Amino acid sequence: NLTINVTDRQNLRLAVYQTVARPDPREVSADYCVAITGDCANQGNPLLNRSRILNADARWEYYPNAGELVSASLFYKDFADPIGELLSYEGSSLCTTQYRNFESSVLTGAEIEFRKGLTFLPGPLARLALGVNLTLVQSNTVYRLDSTRTLEYRLQGQSDRLANVNLLYADPDIGLDASVLFNYFTDRIVRYGNTTVTG
């Protein structure tokens, strides 16, 4: 990790690091688990490998005033053996899901963040603060079904556009903190699937 003080109010942060994601006990158990909501039966996989993730980040930060922030960042993640769920159908209605290691995943993106105190507003409204976070993501995942077939789509569970907006109100004199939050994200792939129809 490297932090460069560009000015007394600006930082440039650079980071390269590796992390791991280990499967939890439910994901490596050979037993079946059936959700009470009627979802497909889920089976763990004792042969799961942990995922290794190579991360690289670059972030510029500017602090106009106390509690305020403007930032922009770029990020890159390279997954080896990412863990996902594969949905299988046998016949017309019998379905199961199982955790599998995909071959690889790559994720790149950019993020913009803005936090501003609305002190220019009159009276009690001057205690408001606005925060906005926008993220654009491009991801690619490769999963091998067999020796000749592979799936290549977005990373499971990852949206390509996300937005968060929050409006905060703080009055330390009466000990009040309140917030209104808004979250938006585009479509996500819930599971990859493999269908075998019999009969």
Side-chain angles (χ1 to χ4, degrees):
N1 295 290
L2 177 65
T3 301
I4 302 171
N5 296 320
V6 181
T7 68
D8 60 346
R9 295 191 178 189
Q10 294 185 60
N11 291 329
L12 180 62
R13 301 182 185 273
L14 305 173
V16 177
Y17 53 99
Q18 181 169 291
T19 56
V20 296
R22 295 181 175 89
D24 64 36
R26 180 172 59 93
E27 293 173 337
V28 295
S29 171
D31 293 333
Y32 280 90
C33 176
V34 180
I36 60 174
T37 56
D39 198 4
C40 301
N42 182 278
Q43 183 184 25
N45 183 356
L47 301 179
L48 277 182
N49 297 319
R50 69 178 185 179
S51 302
R52 300 184 312 279
I53 307 107
L54 176 64
N55 305 269
D57 301 291
R59 178 180 172 92
W60 169 79
E61 301 170 333
Y62 172 58
Y63 300 92
N65 297 293
E68 297 183 350
L69 169 69
V70 178
S71 72
S73 58
L74 301 173
F75 54 88
Y76 170 86
K77 299 179 182 295
D78 189 346
F79 297 76
D81 293 326
I83 298 172
E85 283 185 89
L86 185 68
L87 173 66
S88 296
Y89 275 96
E90 297 179 6
S92 60
S93 60
L94 182 61
C95 64
T96 59
T97 64
Q98 187 179 45
Y99 295 100
R100 302 286 183 89
N101 284 115
F102 289 20
E103 282 200 0
S104 62
S105 295
V106 174
L107 185 147
T108 57
E111 181 182 29
I112 298 174
E113 186 174 358
F114 172 83
R115 190 166 62 241
K116 170 70 175 175
L118 306 182
T119 54
F120 55 87
L121 294 176
L125 294 179
R127 299 183 184 275
L128 288 169
L130 177 67
V132 178
N133 177 281
L134 303 173
T135 305
L136 300 177
V137 179
Q138 183 174 6
S139 62
N140 182 71
T141 296
V142 177
Y143 177 73
R144 182 166 295 282
L145 290 172
D146 53 38
S147 60
T148 60
R149 296 182 300 162
T150 59
L151 294 172
E152 190 167 343
Y153 294 108
R154 293 201 316 266
L155 183 65
Q156 190 172 8
Q158 178 64 60
S159 299
D160 56 6
R161 293 188 301 277
L162 304 96
N164 297 283
V165 179
N166 58 78
L167 187 64
L168 309 175
Y169 182 85
D171 188 341
D173 295 335
I174 61 174
L176 174 64
D177 287 310
S179 61
V180 177
L181 309 174
F182 171 78
N183 174 257
Y184 167 80
F185 56 88
T186 54
D187 291 343
R188 299 171 175 174
I189 294 175
V190 177
R191 297 184 181 110
Y192 289 108
N194 183 26
T195 302
T196 302
V197 179
T198 60

